[in-house]
Amino acid sequence: MIMENNFQRKYSTAISKGAGLIEETRRLLDHWRPDEPLDDFTHRVQVEGLLGNSTAYRTRDVVRRVFAPRLLRPNDKPARILKSVMESGLPARVFTELLFVFAARQDPLVYDFTIREYWPAARRGRSFLDTDPMLSFLSQAHYDGRLDNQWSENVSLRIARCVLGLLRDVGFLRQTVRGRREIVSYRMSDEGAAVLARELNESGVTDSSICNHSDWALFGMTPSDVVERLDEIGEQRGLIVQRGGSVVHFTWGVKSIQELINVLAR
């Protein structure tokens, strides 16, 4: 059972400011300082050309309307986690998976579409995913109140392409030579699963609720999938899973996410 119900949250066009922006986020995190005010960081990104040839307007948009909401609000813990993962030498996909979680948490449209449309399509064995399911999803969202105003056809199509672009950037879709978006058989990495479990733990989610948390459904995982995966990770990598009937208890061999990341990177 998924515990959180995101269905009634309002949708916005926020995704239009940037899909995955994975490499841009890496570049920003490489220069980000935890104690630096956002305005100062934005100015430094501009002055030092950290985003290449981006215009001043585009730079401000990426930093203030994509990077900050995803990784600095309500606090900068997501940025700290990703910076640690990036510097640890863990596989690049771990960074991408966690960035996707943090991005989806801040964008109900991405969160809900991934769980309610992408993964059911993948489970049904569908080969490709085009904009039609996304446009239908947005149309339904208008009727049940998730959109304050119905978006124009052009806006809806642009947002649909942005959401599918994000799923492609994460690795859930693959662009074919003919321009179609092919659904990829994706399995979350063990390292990504371990870090997400610890992040939920440190966010106050109880042992009994961690495996039922809706974030796992972003990767198509059921509660039983989560238990099995975390159990496979094992004591040598900082986690012991104890099961008694329907009760699950986690014993951590590490004291923090940072320590876990160090253990996973060995």
Side-chain angles (χ1 to χ4, degrees):
M1 176 180 176
I2 300 300
M3 290 190 62
E4 288 76 10
N5 183 358
N6 300 303
F7 196 71
Q8 293 305 321
R9 297 190 297 174
K10 296 290 185 179
Y11 295 163
S12 74
T13 60
I15 189 66
S16 66
K17 296 300 178 182
L21 293 181
I22 294 169
E23 291 311 311
E24 291 88 345
T25 301
R26 284 181 173 277
R27 206 171 305 142
L28 291 172
L29 282 171
D30 195 38
H31 294 271
W32 173 73
R33 302 166 187 160
D35 57 348
E36 185 175 21
L38 183 60
D39 285 343
D40 293 352
F41 179 55
T42 304
H43 179 69
R44 189 160 58 85
V45 171
Q46 262 180 249
V47 171
E48 297 178 14
L50 301 182
L51 292 181
N53 295 323
S54 296
T55 64
Y57 179 83
R58 175 60 178 163
T59 296
R60 285 194 299 273
D61 252 11
V62 170
V63 176
R64 302 185 69 86
R65 303 182 71 173
V66 181
F67 182 83
R70 288 178 178 179
L71 305 184
L72 304 181
R73 297 172 188 158
N75 57 61
D76 66 4
K77 189 171 184 179
R80 291 173 184 266
I81 291 172
L82 286 180
K83 192 172 178 71
S84 294
V85 167
M86 188 172 68
E87 294 172 348
S88 71
L90 283 171
R93 64 181 296 204
V94 180
F95 178 92
T96 303
E97 288 169 348
L98 295 170
L99 174 58
F100 176 57
V101 172
F102 298 139
R105 285 178 181 174
Q106 295 299 319
D107 195 325
L109 174 57
V110 171
Y111 203 105
D112 292 351
F113 181 79
T114 303
I115 293 174
R116 300 176 185 277
E117 298 293 333
Y118 171 81
W119 282 107
R123 292 190 193 98
R124 291 194 300 268
R126 186 167 177 169
S127 299
F128 300 97
L129 193 68
D130 56 24
T131 55
D132 286 347
M134 185 75 216
L135 294 174
S136 296
F137 188 77
L138 291 175
S139 179
Q140 181 59 43
H142 168 66
Y143 288 109
D144 63 29
R146 285 171 286 159
L147 293 181
D148 285 331
N149 299 296
Q150 187 165 18
W151 296 343
S152 69
E153 183 178 344
N154 286 341
V155 170
S156 296
L157 186 58
R158 175 163 55 89
I159 297 304
R161 287 170 175 163
C162 287
V163 173
L164 295 177
L166 173 57
L167 297 181
R168 179 203 60 220
D169 292 346
V170 174
F172 292 173
L173 296 172
R174 179 191 301 117
Q175 200 87 11
T176 69
V177 292
R178 295 186 176 181
R180 301 198 67 187
R181 301 172 183 89
E182 183 179 12
I183 293 177
V184 175
S185 178
Y186 192 94
R187 184 178 189 270
M188 189 182 194
S189 68
D190 288 346
E191 296 91 345
V195 175
L196 177 55
R198 180 68 190 195
E199 191 269 345
L200 292 171
N201 168 263
E202 292 189 4
S203 297
V205 180
T206 63
D207 284 4
S208 60
S209 299
I210 284 178
C211 294
N212 293 318
H213 197 282
S214 58
D215 281 358
W216 300 106
L218 290 168
F219 297 91
M221 297 171 70
T222 65
S224 59
D225 293 335
V226 178
V227 174
E228 293 297 329
R229 176 65 65 82
L230 297 179
D231 193 26
E232 290 172 4
I233 290 171
E235 182 177 2
Q236 296 302 314
R237 307 188 84 186
L239 176 61
I240 300 174
V241 179
Q242 296 168 300
R243 288 179 283 183
S246 60
V247 178
V248 179
H249 177 70
F250 299 103
T251 300
W252 295 94
V254 295
K255 297 179 180 179
S256 67
I257 286 184
Q258 180 61 63
E259 188 177 342
L260 174 64
I261 290 170
N262 293 340
V263 169
L264 294 171
R266 288 175 188 165

